[in-house]
Amino acid sequence: MLKPLILIVEDEAPLVTMLRYNLERQGFRVDEAADGQEAITKIAETRPDLVLLDWMLPALSGIEVCRQIRRRPGTRDLPVIMVTARAEETDSVRALNTGADDYITKPFSIDNLVARIKALLRRAGATPSKGTLKFHDIVLDLAAHRVTRNGRKVHLGPTEFRLLEFFMQHPGRVFSREELLDAVWGPDIHVEPRTVDVHIRRLRKSLNGPNEADVVRTVRAAGYALDIEANS
Ligand code: CA
């Protein structure tokens, strides 16, 4: 199998050199872009498996690059890890709200970064499962990595896809944020529990059409469940 291609979008040359060296040692192929505009071009040309996207970039900010990735049908599912400079929670939530799948704060350790890259590639379907899952009017095709609701195609990012897949494997059951983090992100990844809320919001937005019932139930002080009756 071809090694996964990581596109590093970063304007600090020494950091790019260090990242390339370490990621190649970990068995990844690496491509580079030094600004946001070049990133957009490279993504279209080389079809990376994952983008490591710096927030502060010349020409086009990381946030804007991420928005464009999510807007275009061909790159909507492309896994993105946003690199933020400040450890403020508002920044990380903003990064996730623009469509990033994960974020990491500078300075970060290579081990932490590699763990996140591997976890995200796993979520993005590097090892696809087979069959389909059905819940109410929702069909999730594991092999084709496709979701429809009421026959309508639903576009989900890799994290929302895994969340829905997990819910559909256990319909009606209530899961805490910590349980969802363990199941979907993996136990070795440290993520703020409120990250789950952001992805639940994105899942609902994609899944619920204008006249469709909300299938994700919020259970106060407990977590979330896939459940239709509670909302209809
Ligand atoms: Ca930068």
Side-chain angles (χ1 to χ4, degrees):
M1 214 173 92
L2 206 57
K3 294 172 179 175
L5 175 64
I6 314 286
L7 176 64
I8 302 173
V9 187
E10 173 61 70
D11 56 317
E12 291 166 50
L15 183 54
V16 175
T17 307
M18 187 277 281
L19 287 171
R20 172 185 279 279
Y21 172 77
N22 282 287
L23 292 177
E24 283 177 348
R25 269 182 46 150
Q26 292 284 334
F28 297 108
R29 291 177 298 139
V30 172
D31 197 4
E32 303 168 8
D35 64 56
Q37 202 55 58
E38 193 187 353
I40 295 290
T41 311
K42 282 270 174 96
I43 287 165
E45 279 172 7
T46 65
R47 301 258 151 202
D49 296 294
L50 184 147
V51 180
L52 187 63
L53 181 59
D54 188 32
W55 176 313
M56 303 293 275
L57 288 170
L60 208 57
S61 77
I63 295 260
E64 186 49 35
V65 172
C66 194
R67 284 206 187 100
Q68 292 201 21
I69 289 171
R70 288 295 173 255
R71 258 202 306 268
R72 294 177 189 194
T75 57
R76 207 169 257 160
D77 302 333
L78 178 61
V80 175
I81 297 179
M82 187 83 86
V83 180
T84 65
R86 294 173 297 174
E88 285 166 32
E89 217 179 353
T90 49
D91 283 1
S92 51
V93 170
R94 223 180 124 204
L96 293 172
N97 277 334
T98 57
D101 299 290
D102 199 359
Y103 64 90
I104 192 162
T105 304
K106 284 180 185 174
F108 50 81
S109 77
I110 281 292
D111 287 351
N112 185 0
L113 176 67
V114 168
R116 280 163 187 275
I117 287 175
K118 286 182 176 167
L120 182 51
L121 286 173
R122 261 199 312 273
R123 295 207 292 285
T127 50
S129 333
K130 296 277 178 290
T132 58
L133 295 168
K134 288 195 180 74
F135 177 78
H136 195 63
D137 52 0
I138 300 165
V139 179
L140 187 147
D141 185 333
L142 289 161
H145 216 77
R146 210 165 28 219
V147 176
T148 58
R149 178 160 191 191
N150 215 356
R152 167 179 58 88
K153 212 168 161 185
V154 177
H155 295 284
L156 299 176
T159 306
E160 288 75 47
F161 187 93
R162 286 288 175 233
L163 255 178
L164 181 63
E165 180 187 351
F166 182 68
F167 276 134
M168 287 178 80
Q169 284 161 346
H170 314 275
R173 217 182 113 186
V174 180
F175 292 100
S176 70
R177 289 170 179 78
E178 286 73 19
E179 286 172 322
L180 291 172
L181 285 174
D182 267 11
V184 175
W185 279 256
D188 47 340
I189 300 291
H190 175 74
V191 191
E192 292 293 323
R194 66 183 288 176
T195 299
V196 174
D197 302 341
V198 176
H199 287 282
I200 291 281
R201 202 151 56 230
R202 276 159 59 174
L203 177 61
R204 278 185 170 133
K205 205 176 156 197
S206 305
L207 208 52
N208 301 331
N211 296 310
E212 290 167 342
D214 185 2
V215 290
V216 183
R217 181 158 65 102
T218 305
V219 184
R220 278 194 80 160
Y224 297 101
L226 187 70
D227 202 338
I228 194 107
E229 282 160 63
N231 297 301
S232 54

PDB file of all heavy atoms in Angstrom, residues 9-12 54-58 106, ligand 1:
ATOM      1  N   VAL A   9       1.560  22.654   5.415  1.00  0.00           N
ATOM      2  CA  VAL A   9       1.370  24.044   4.995  1.00  0.00           C
ATOM      3  C   VAL A   9       1.904  24.925   6.112  1.00  0.00           C
ATOM      4  O   VAL A   9       1.303  25.027   7.188  1.00  0.00           O
ATOM      5  CB  VAL A   9      -0.115  24.356   4.727  1.00  0.00           C
ATOM      6  CG1 VAL A   9      -0.243  25.752   4.128  1.00  0.00           C
ATOM      7  CG2 VAL A   9      -0.735  23.310   3.812  1.00  0.00           C
ATOM      8  N   GLU A  10       3.061  25.510   5.883  1.00  0.00           N
ATOM      9  CA  GLU A  10       3.787  26.215   6.951  1.00  0.00           C
ATOM     10  C   GLU A  10       4.776  27.166   6.296  1.00  0.00           C
ATOM     11  O   GLU A  10       5.453  26.799   5.333  1.00  0.00           O
ATOM     12  CB  GLU A  10       4.507  25.169   7.816  1.00  0.00           C
ATOM     13  CG  GLU A  10       5.441  25.711   8.865  1.00  0.00           C
ATOM     14  CD  GLU A  10       4.731  26.593   9.876  1.00  0.00           C
ATOM     15  OE1 GLU A  10       3.940  26.047  10.673  1.00  0.00           O
ATOM     16  OE2 GLU A  10       4.964  27.817   9.858  1.00  0.00           O
ATOM     17  N   ASP A  11       4.869  28.401   6.821  1.00  0.00           N
ATOM     18  CA  ASP A  11       5.786  29.388   6.235  1.00  0.00           C
ATOM     19  C   ASP A  11       7.113  29.479   6.978  1.00  0.00           C
ATOM     20  O   ASP A  11       8.019  30.164   6.535  1.00  0.00           O
ATOM     21  CB  ASP A  11       5.121  30.763   6.169  1.00  0.00           C
ATOM     22  CG  ASP A  11       4.637  31.233   7.529  1.00  0.00           C
ATOM     23  OD1 ASP A  11       4.065  30.400   8.261  1.00  0.00           O
ATOM     24  OD2 ASP A  11       4.820  32.415   7.860  1.00  0.00           O
ATOM     25  N   GLU A  12       7.248  28.779   8.111  1.00  0.00           N
ATOM     26  CA  GLU A  12       8.530  28.797   8.824  1.00  0.00           C
ATOM     27  C   GLU A  12       9.396  27.651   8.312  1.00  0.00           C
ATOM     28  O   GLU A  12       9.174  26.490   8.672  1.00  0.00           O
ATOM     29  CB  GLU A  12       8.317  28.639  10.326  1.00  0.00           C
ATOM     30  CG  GLU A  12       7.653  29.833  10.983  1.00  0.00           C
ATOM     31  CD  GLU A  12       7.154  29.513  12.385  1.00  0.00           C
ATOM     32  OE1 GLU A  12       7.957  28.969  13.180  1.00  0.00           O
ATOM     33  OE2 GLU A  12       5.985  29.767  12.676  1.00  0.00           O
ATOM     34  N   ASP A  54      -1.008  25.294   9.084  1.00  0.00           N
ATOM     35  CA  ASP A  54      -0.706  26.367  10.024  1.00  0.00           C
ATOM     36  C   ASP A  54      -1.776  27.456   9.927  1.00  0.00           C
ATOM     37  O   ASP A  54      -2.248  27.781   8.846  1.00  0.00           O
ATOM     38  CB  ASP A  54       0.674  26.954   9.697  1.00  0.00           C
ATOM     39  CG  ASP A  54       1.130  27.942  10.754  1.00  0.00           C
ATOM     40  OD1 ASP A  54       0.783  27.754  11.938  1.00  0.00           O
ATOM     41  OD2 ASP A  54       1.843  28.906  10.397  1.00  0.00           O
ATOM     42  N   TRP A  55      -2.159  27.985  11.073  1.00  0.00           N
ATOM     43  CA  TRP A  55      -3.200  29.023  11.114  1.00  0.00           C
ATOM     44  C   TRP A  55      -2.674  30.326  10.521  1.00  0.00           C
ATOM     45  O   TRP A  55      -3.335  30.961   9.700  1.00  0.00           O
ATOM     46  CB  TRP A  55      -3.601  29.209  12.573  1.00  0.00           C
ATOM     47  CG  TRP A  55      -4.591  30.276  12.888  1.00  0.00           C
ATOM     48  CD1 TRP A  55      -4.598  31.575  12.440  1.00  0.00           C
ATOM     49  CD2 TRP A  55      -5.740  30.148  13.728  1.00  0.00           C
ATOM     50  NE1 TRP A  55      -5.662  32.244  12.958  1.00  0.00           N
ATOM     51  CE2 TRP A  55      -6.383  31.395  13.757  1.00  0.00           C
ATOM     52  CE3 TRP A  55      -6.262  29.102  14.478  1.00  0.00           C
ATOM     53  CZ2 TRP A  55      -7.530  31.625  14.502  1.00  0.00           C
ATOM     54  CZ3 TRP A  55      -7.400  29.343  15.213  1.00  0.00           C
ATOM     55  CH2 TRP A  55      -8.029  30.587  15.222  1.00  0.00           C
ATOM     56  N   MET A  56      -1.467  30.747  10.968  1.00  0.00           N
ATOM     57  CA  MET A  56      -0.905  32.034  10.546  1.00  0.00           C
ATOM     58  C   MET A  56      -0.044  31.842   9.308  1.00  0.00           C
ATOM     59  O   MET A  56       1.066  31.350   9.384  1.00  0.00           O
ATOM     60  CB  MET A  56      -0.049  32.629  11.671  1.00  0.00           C
ATOM     61  CG  MET A  56      -0.804  32.821  12.972  1.00  0.00           C
ATOM     62  SD  MET A  56      -2.099  34.070  12.865  1.00  0.00           S
ATOM     63  CE  MET A  56      -1.133  35.536  13.194  1.00  0.00           C
ATOM     64  N   LEU A  57      -0.590  32.251   8.163  1.00  0.00           N
ATOM     65  CA  LEU A  57       0.093  32.040   6.886  1.00  0.00           C
ATOM     66  C   LEU A  57       0.033  33.308   6.055  1.00  0.00           C
ATOM     67  O   LEU A  57      -0.934  34.060   6.152  1.00  0.00           O
ATOM     68  CB  LEU A  57      -0.613  30.944   6.076  1.00  0.00           C
ATOM     69  CG  LEU A  57      -0.489  29.491   6.513  1.00  0.00           C
ATOM     70  CD1 LEU A  57      -1.468  28.653   5.713  1.00  0.00           C
ATOM     71  CD2 LEU A  57       0.932  28.996   6.304  1.00  0.00           C
ATOM     72  N   PRO A  58       1.032  33.520   5.187  1.00  0.00           N
ATOM     73  CA  PRO A  58       0.902  34.633   4.247  1.00  0.00           C
ATOM     74  C   PRO A  58      -0.107  34.291   3.148  1.00  0.00           C
ATOM     75  O   PRO A  58      -0.424  33.130   2.935  1.00  0.00           O
ATOM     76  CB  PRO A  58       2.308  34.776   3.660  1.00  0.00           C
ATOM     77  CG  PRO A  58       3.137  33.686   4.193  1.00  0.00           C
ATOM     78  CD  PRO A  58       2.285  32.800   5.038  1.00  0.00           C
ATOM     79  N   LYS A 106       1.262  25.034  18.984  1.00  0.00           N
ATOM     80  CA  LYS A 106       2.720  25.203  19.004  1.00  0.00           C
ATOM     81  C   LYS A 106       3.150  25.683  20.379  1.00  0.00           C
ATOM     82  O   LYS A 106       2.472  26.539  20.953  1.00  0.00           O
ATOM     83  CB  LYS A 106       3.139  26.273  17.977  1.00  0.00           C
ATOM     84  CG  LYS A 106       3.116  25.832  16.534  1.00  0.00           C
ATOM     85  CD  LYS A 106       3.566  27.031  15.684  1.00  0.00           C
ATOM     86  CE  LYS A 106       3.465  26.715  14.211  1.00  0.00           C
ATOM     87  NZ  LYS A 106       3.751  27.897  13.371  1.00  0.00           N
TER      88      LYS A 106
HETATM   89 CA    CA B   1       3.073  30.596  10.310  1.00  0.00          CA
END
